[in-house]
Amino acid sequence: MIFERRFLLGALAIAIVFPLLGWSEYVIHVGVLIMFSIMLATGFNLIVGYVGEFSLGHTAFLGIGAYTAALLSSSLGMPIFFNIAAAAVVAAIAGFFIGAVTLRLRGPFFVIVTLCFAEVLRIVANNWVALTNGPMGIAGIVKPAWMAQQTALQQKIDFYYIGLALVTVCVYFAYRFVYSFLGRAVVTIRENRFVAQSVGIWPYSYSLLAFVVASAMAGVAGAFYAHYVSYVGPEVFGFPFMISMIIMVLLGGKGTLIGPVIGPVIVVLLEEYLRDFKDLRFSIFGLVIVAVVLFVPQGLMGFVAARREQYARK
Amino acid sequence: MDFLLQLLANGLVNGTFYALSALGLTLIFGLMRVVNFAHGELYMVGGLIGWALTELVGANFFLALLIVVIATGAAGYLIDRWLIERVRNQGAESGILLTIGISIFLTNTALLIVGTVPHKVLSPFANKPLFLGPVVLTQSRLSIVAICAVLMLAVHLLIKHTTLGRAMRATVQDAMAASLVGIRTERIHGFTFALGTALASAAGALLGSIYVTQPTIGGLVSLKAFVVVILGGLGSFAGAIIGGLVLGVAEALWGGYFATGYVDAIGFALVIVMLLVRPYGLFSVKSERA
Amino acid sequence: MLQVDNITKNFGGITAVADVSFAINKGEVVSLIGPNGAGKTTCFNLITGFYRPTAGRVQFEGTDITAFDPHRVARLGVVRTFQKTNVLPRLNVFENVLAARHLHGETSILRAFFPGKAVRVREKRVRDEAADLIETLGLLARIDTPAESLSCGELRLLEVAVALSAGPRLLMLDEPAAGLNTQEAERLADILKQLVGTRVDALLLVEHNMSLVMSVSHRVVVLNFGRKLMEGSPEQVRNSAEVIEAYLGKPVE
Ligand SMILES: Nc1ncnc2c1ncn2[C@@H]1O[C@H](COP(=O)(O)OP(=O)(O)OP(=O)(O)O)[C@@H](O)[C@H]1O
Ligand SMILES: [Mg+2]
C-alpha cells in the first residue's frame, strides 16, 4: 500500500515534468497514447485483476464513451470536459446493464458473452447510419476553442496534460476502490467465492460495482481519444483495442495498481519501436503474449505490489 | 410459403456448416476445459492449405483434405505439448490468453505469406443448382453437407466407441484417476487438441470450397463458433449441432424477412437473450459444489 | 435460535438429506454427527442458503431464511465454515481475518471513495478487532504469514478465526478438527468451549472426532443415510446401539 502510493506519486511527478524537457511533437504524441492506455488499463484491471473475471468486451465501454463524446461534440457542439463527464456517465449506465446480465455468469461463459456484447455494439455502430454515420464514422470533432491559435506541439502538450489529469482521477478512484472495504470484498470474492458469501459478502453486487467503475473509466478514455484524434469509427469496439488492454494489464501485473501504469508505458513504446518491422510486428505481438503467459504469468509487478495489508503494531 | 421453405433450407445448410466449424471448439472445451481462441485461425489455416494444395499444387480435393487433417493435427499435438501443457491447471484465463496469442500470430503470419486477397479451395463438386420441389440448392453445398455429416458421425464414434475416445473422456473427468489406471494423460490431452485442431482446419478446407478463405476471417469464425457452442452448451457435442442449426436458420430467416445489415448480430442477440433464460446453454447442467 | 423443520434435499436420484428436523437454543453447543456421506455438510449448505431445500423450512430467530441467499444468512448472524477450505490461501492471516470482518467495515460507496475521519477511525477499529481476535486464537506470531504456509493446526484455528471475525450469533463449524492430533484437538476443544456465551450465542458442530464432540456438546444429533437417527445428550448417543451400528455396521449374528 505504502509502496504503491509512493510509486504512483513519484510517477505522477515525473509525468508532470516530462513535457517540459523540450521533446518533439512525436514524443508528446506517444505520451498522450500512454495516458489514454493507462485510463483504459486501470479500469480493466479492476475487473480482471481484482474481481478476477476475464472480460473480453471492455471495448464496449470505450466505444460508448467515444461515440457519446463524438455525438455531443459534433451535433450539439458541447465542450470537451462536459463530453468527458457525460461519456463517463453513459458508459457507467451501460456498464450497469451489461454487467447486470453478464456477471450472472462466470469463467468462459462470462468471457464469451462480454465479447458478444462488444460485437453487437460494433455491428450497431456499423449499421445505424443515421446515428453513427456507419462505417464512415464521425469525423471532424472540433478541438477545444483555446487550442485554435496554438502550434501543433502545444496542442499535443495540452492534450497530454488533460490526459494526465484524467489518469490521475482514474488512478485515484482505483486506489480508493482497492484500499477500502470494496477492494477487500472483491479480493475475497476472487480468492474464494464461497468464503466471501459465508462472511456476508454479496459477490454479485461488488463485482457489478467494480464493473461499473471500470466502464466509466473506459468511457472517459474513449471520450478523450475521440477529442484527441477528432474521429470515431466502429473500430473502437474492435478486438485490437481489447488485445492491447489485455497485454498491458497482464504484462504490468494484474491485481496491482502499478501494473496498469507501467504496462501501457512498455506496450506503447514497444509498439512504436516495432513500427520498423512493419507487418511483422503483429506476429511478434502474438508471440509476446504467448511468452508473457508462459514466463511472467504474474506480470512484472505481480510479486512486488499485490494488494497487501499488515497490522501496524503499536 | 416457398420463400420460407427456401430460407429454411438455406438456414439448415448454413447451420450444418456452422455446426461443423464449431465442433473442434466444443470438443476442446468439453474434453480439455480450454477455450480455444485460436479456433478460427486454425480453420483459416486449413482453408489456406487446402487452397494451396488444390490450386497451386493441383492436388485432388480429398487428398488435400487428408493432408490438411494430418498436418494440422500434428501441429495441434505439438501446440498442446509445447505450449498449452505448461499452463494446464492454471485456470481458464491462461489458456484463453495463450490461444489469443497464438491466434494473433497465425493471422498476421498468414497475412505476411499470402496477403489479403481471398482464396478459394477447388472442389470437384459442381455449382449446378438442384431443384428439390420448391427449394433450390447447389450440388456443391449438398455434397459438403453430406461430408460434414460423415465427419461428425466419425468423430462421434471415435469419442464414444474407441479406446482413445474413452481415454479422452476419462482424462477430463479425473486426470489423476486416469493416470493411475495407466492412461498417459499428457498424450491424451495432446491427441484431444490435435483432434480439435484437425476438425477446425478440416472445416476450413471444406467450407473454403464454398465461401472464401483469407487470413483475417479467423476472428469472425471464432465468434460464430462461440455463439454456436454457447447456444448449445459449451462442451456438448449434440449441443454444437443444434446450436449451429439454430443459428443458421435464425440468420436465414432474419436476413430473408428483415434487414440484412444486422444478420451478424443475430447470433449474439440470441446468446444474450438465452442468457437471461437459461444461463449455461440448452444442453448443459450447471453444477456447483460448496 | 435456529429451527430446522423437515428439510429434504434430492440431487437427481439420490436423497442426501431426508426429512431432518432439529433446533438449537441460545447458549447451546449442538453437534451433528454421522458416518461419511450421511448428509451433514449438505445440512450446512441447506441452512446457510448454499443449497435450496427440496422441501422443508429453516428459521432463524423467527425469520424464515429458507430461500435466503448465503450472504443474507450471514448478515443475520449465521456463519459457517467449509469442510474443504475456509481461507483465502494467498492472503496472510491478518488479511484473512480482516476480509471476514466485512460487515463491520462497510461504509457507503461515496465514503469509500472520499473517506473522512469517521471512516478512518472505523477502519482502525476493525483492524484492531481483527488483530485482537488473532491474538485470542493464539495466532499472533503468524499474523503476516500467508494462509497457505500455515501448519494444519494453525490453519484450522485460522478457519475458526475467519468465521468468528464475521461476528456470528450462531457459528457453524464443519469438521474443524480434521487432521489435528490429539493435543491440538484438545486445545481446539478448550477454545470452542469458551466461545459460547462470550463471542457467539450458540455453536453447531460437525465433527468426526468423538472425544471432541463428547467433551464440548450439550446435545448431539445423529444422521445416517440422510435421515435423523437419534438426538440426545452425549451419554445417550454414546450408549445407543443404533448409533454404534450405524458407524460400525451390524454385528454378525
Ligand atoms: N452437489 C451435490 N451433487 C450431488 N450429490 C451431492 C452433492 N452434495 C452432496 N451430495 C451427496 O450427498 C450425500 C451426502 O453428502 P455430504 O457431503 O452432506 O456428507 P457428509 O455427511 O458431510 O460426509 P463427510 O463426513 O464425508 O463430510 C453424499 O452421497 C454426496 O455424494
Ligand atoms: Mg461433510
Side-chain angles (χ1 to χ4, degrees):
Chain A
M1 182 175 181
I2 306 286
F3 172 70
E4 285 201 292
R5 190 154 68 197
R6 285 192 188 142
F7 185 103
L8 292 171
L9 289 175
L12 177 62
I14 295 171
I16 291 173
V17 180
F18 176 78
L20 307 176
L21 305 178
W23 300 101
S24 70
E25 207 183 308
Y26 171 69
V27 174
I28 301 296
H29 166 74
V30 172
V32 174
L33 290 185
I34 290 176
M35 292 304 152
F36 162 72
S37 305
I38 295 177
M39 293 175 219
L40 215 46
T42 299
F44 183 56
N45 179 42
L46 289 180
I47 304 174
V48 180
Y50 291 97
V51 174
E53 288 295 339
F54 199 85
S55 163
L56 279 184
H58 209 54
T59 46
F61 310 107
L62 172 71
I64 287 173
Y67 270 100
T68 304
L71 288 171
L72 285 172
S73 168
S74 66
S75 36
L76 301 177
M78 301 305 279
I80 176 168
F81 292 110
F82 176 84
N83 297 347
I84 290 173
V89 173
V90 174
I93 293 171
F96 178 82
F97 286 106
I98 293 180
V101 176
T102 54
L103 285 167
R104 291 165 17 128
L105 301 170
R106 291 203 301 286
F109 294 90
F110 178 80
V111 175
I112 295 173
V113 171
T114 46
L115 179 57
C116 285
F117 268 101
E119 268 305 295
V120 168
L121 288 172
R122 192 181 63 78
I123 293 170
V124 169
N126 244 323
N127 286 283
W128 192 357
V129 180
L131 182 73
T132 64
N133 208 15
M136 305 279 290
I138 301 171
I141 300 164
V142 284
K143 292 252 148 74
W146 82 81
M147 289 187 188
Q149 305 301 320
Q150 289 174 345
T151 61
L153 173 65
Q154 190 56 45
Q155 287 186 3
K156 289 220 154 62
I157 293 181
D158 282 11
F159 266 109
Y160 175 90
Y161 279 116
I162 294 174
L164 181 57
L166 295 173
V167 163
T168 310
V169 172
C170 288
V171 174
Y172 172 84
F173 271 90
Y175 180 86
R176 285 293 177 210
F177 183 93
V178 169
Y179 288 106
S180 67
F181 77 101
L182 299 170
R184 209 174 278 154
V186 290
V187 167
T188 310
I189 296 165
R190 179 189 77 194
E191 295 295 316
N192 192 331
R193 203 180 176 86
F194 293 125
V195 170
Q197 295 179 79
S198 79
V199 299
I201 297 170
W202 186 16
Y204 185 70
S205 67
Y206 289 97
S207 309
L208 186 55
L209 180 65
F211 200 89
V212 169
V213 174
S215 305
M217 289 183 191
V220 168
F224 175 70
Y225 178 83
H227 279 279
Y228 180 62
V229 300
S230 65
Y231 164 81
V232 174
E235 61 280 354
V236 285
F237 289 107
F239 206 52
F241 275 113
M242 198 63 239
I243 305 271
S244 354
M245 256 188 270
I246 294 171
I247 307 182
M248 289 171 194
V249 171
L250 222 71
L251 186 65
K254 64 179 184 335
T256 73
L257 288 168
I258 303 176
V261 173
I262 60 169
V265 175
I266 296 172
V267 172
V268 171
L269 292 180
L270 188 70
E271 238 174 278
E272 293 301 318
Y273 173 73
L274 288 179
R275 253 178 220 292
D276 294 343
F277 293 85
K278 302 232 165 51
D279 293 340
L280 190 59
R281 76 191 158 120
F282 295 109
S283 293
I284 297 175
F285 244 82
L287 295 180
V288 168
I289 298 186
V290 171
V292 169
V293 176
L294 292 183
F295 302 114
V296 268
Q298 298 289 321
L300 297 174
M301 283 291 141
F303 296 103
V304 193
R307 186 189 195 282
R308 280 266 89 110
E309 291 189 273
Q310 285 191 339
Y311 186 61
R313 266 163 266 204
K314 290 143 278 189
Chain B
M1 190 59 207
D2 285 359
F3 182 55
L4 176 66
L5 282 178
Q6 180 67 48
L7 289 180
L8 283 177
N10 291 350
L12 288 173
V13 169
N14 279 338
T16 315
F17 296 164
Y18 282 144
L20 180 71
S21 49
L23 219 51
L25 183 71
T26 208
L27 202 95
I28 288 178
F29 183 81
L31 294 174
M32 296 176 72
R33 303 284 147 196
V34 171
V35 186
N36 182 13
F37 270 80
H39 178 78
E41 281 69 23
L42 297 172
Y43 170 103
M44 174 270 292
V45 168
L48 287 180
I49 298 179
W51 159 75
L53 288 173
T54 55
E55 172 90 48
L56 303 182
V57 181
N60 169 289
F61 179 70
F62 292 99
L63 178 66
L65 196 60
L66 189 68
I67 297 178
V68 164
V69 166
I70 293 171
T72 57
Y77 184 83
L78 295 178
I79 291 177
D80 182 74
R81 296 304 300 268
W82 288 346
L83 302 176
I84 297 176
E85 189 175 312
R86 290 154 169 265
V87 298
R88 200 117 55 215
N89 307 325
Q90 287 180 17
E93 194 186 300
S94 313
I96 289 174
L97 286 166
L98 196 66
T99 50
I100 287 179
I102 296 171
S103 78
I104 297 174
F105 175 77
L106 288 177
T107 301
N108 292 291
T109 312
L111 268 175
L112 285 178
I113 297 171
V114 302
T116 49
V117 193
H119 296 293
K120 212 161 173 179
V121 178
L122 294 186
S123 83
F125 310 117
N127 231 345
K128 218 168 50 187
L130 287 178
F131 295 87
L132 311 163
V135 174
V136 193
L137 292 170
T138 62
Q139 198 190 342
S140 57
R141 285 187 178 230
L142 276 182
S143 317
I144 301 289
V145 166
I147 299 177
C148 284
V150 171
L151 215 58
M152 288 180 199
L153 187 67
V155 174
H156 174 76
L157 292 178
L158 173 72
I159 293 173
K160 284 277 137 99
H161 298 289
T162 64
T163 320
L164 180 63
R166 270 191 286 272
M168 285 174 175
R169 283 181 290 136
T171 303
V172 70
Q173 286 209 340
D174 191 341
M176 178 77 88
S179 68
L180 283 178
V181 298
I183 295 174
R184 302 169 80 163
T185 54
E186 286 312 335
R187 281 197 191 181
I188 294 299
H189 279 133
F191 284 129
T192 308
F193 198 80
L195 180 61
T197 306
L199 265 177
S201 46
L206 278 172
L207 303 184
S209 70
I210 290 183
Y211 310 111
V212 289
T213 307
Q214 66 201 88
T216 48
I217 56 161
L220 187 66
V221 173
S222 282
L223 277 170
K224 295 249 164 164
F226 287 146
V227 168
V228 168
V229 299
I230 288 271
L231 284 178
L234 203 44
S236 153
F237 197 90
I241 295 171
I242 306 275
L245 295 178
V246 167
L247 179 65
V249 170
E251 283 190 355
L253 292 181
W254 181 271
Y257 288 114
F258 301 98
T260 43
Y262 286 99
V263 161
D264 282 335
I266 292 307
F268 304 121
L270 279 179
V271 164
I272 292 165
V273 168
M274 197 195 65
L275 237 171
L276 294 165
V277 193
R278 239 200 105 108
Y280 289 85
L282 295 171
F283 281 81
S284 69
V285 274
K286 180 188 151 205
S287 75
E288 229 183 307
R289 274 186 171 216
Chain C
M1 282 178 95
L2 186 78
Q3 177 75 41
V4 176
D5 296 316
N6 310 95
I7 49 167
T8 299
K9 179 71 184 176
N10 300 322
F11 292 109
I14 42 172
T15 302
V17 171
D19 205 22
V20 169
S21 309
F22 60 90
I24 300 171
N25 302 314
K26 209 167 164 162
E28 261 189 325
V29 177
V30 177
S31 284
L32 193 58
I33 65 167
N36 290 110
K40 306 177 296 289
T41 300
T42 306
C43 272
F44 264 41
N45 284 328
L46 292 172
I47 293 170
T48 51
F50 283 88
Y51 293 157
R52 292 254 179 290
T54 313
R57 195 167 60 148
V58 182
Q59 281 171 291
F60 181 68
E61 312 231 286
T63 314
D64 188 337
I65 59 168
T66 319
F68 274 30
D69 282 334
H71 65 96
R72 287 183 67 198
V73 176
R75 228 162 240 275
L76 280 180
V78 181
V79 176
R80 55 82 63 90
T81 64
F82 295 90
Q83 192 172 348
K84 274 184 250 156
T85 48
N86 197 53
V87 296
L88 317 171
R90 297 193 297 173
L91 305 190
N92 66 34
V93 168
F94 182 61
E95 287 168 319
N96 266 280
V97 177
L98 196 57
R101 205 135 186 87
H102 174 79
L103 294 176
H104 301 79
E106 271 182 318
T107 60
S108 73
I109 293 170
L110 201 65
R111 280 261 163 274
F113 288 118
F114 304 102
K117 184 140 189 307
V119 172
R120 274 191 290 272
V121 169
R122 176 140 167 207
E123 172 73 13
K124 169 116 181 37
R125 198 179 64 221
V126 170
R127 287 169 159 265
D128 287 341
E129 286 162 354
D132 186 48
L133 181 61
I134 292 170
E135 187 166 12
T136 313
L137 289 180
L139 284 173
L140 202 54
R142 308 291 261 159
I143 191 165
D144 293 328
T145 311
E148 59 194 355
S149 352
L150 293 178
S151 72
C152 179
E154 290 166 335
L155 195 61
R156 291 282 113 79
L157 287 176
L158 178 60
E159 289 179 351
V160 175
V162 165
L164 275 179
S165 182
R169 317 246 314 277
L170 169 64
L171 178 63
M172 301 169 52
L173 302 174
D174 197 346
E175 304 200 11
L180 297 188
N181 60 33
T182 327
Q183 221 177 349
E184 289 170 326
E186 274 167 15
R187 206 173 108 57
L188 183 71
D190 288 341
I191 292 174
L192 294 185
K193 276 185 222 161
Q194 283 166 21
L195 286 181
V196 179
T198 57
R199 285 188 179 265
V200 301
D201 290 343
L203 183 62
L204 176 63
L205 191 66
V206 165
E207 189 45 68
H208 285 297
N209 181 331
M210 281 310 139
S211 63
L212 179 79
V213 168
M214 296 305 163
S215 79
V216 301
S217 330
H218 300 119
R219 215 145 40 81
V220 179
V221 177
V222 189
L223 293 185
N224 193 24
F225 294 115
R227 298 198 165 270
K228 187 160 124 182
L229 199 62
M230 74 166 292
E231 175 176 343
S233 69
E235 288 73 39
Q236 287 170 325
V237 168
R238 196 183 352 227
N239 300 325
S240 150
E242 266 183 310
V243 173
I244 294 168
E245 188 184 302
Y247 270 91
L248 300 177
K250 245 192 172 81
V252 197
E253 318 245 322

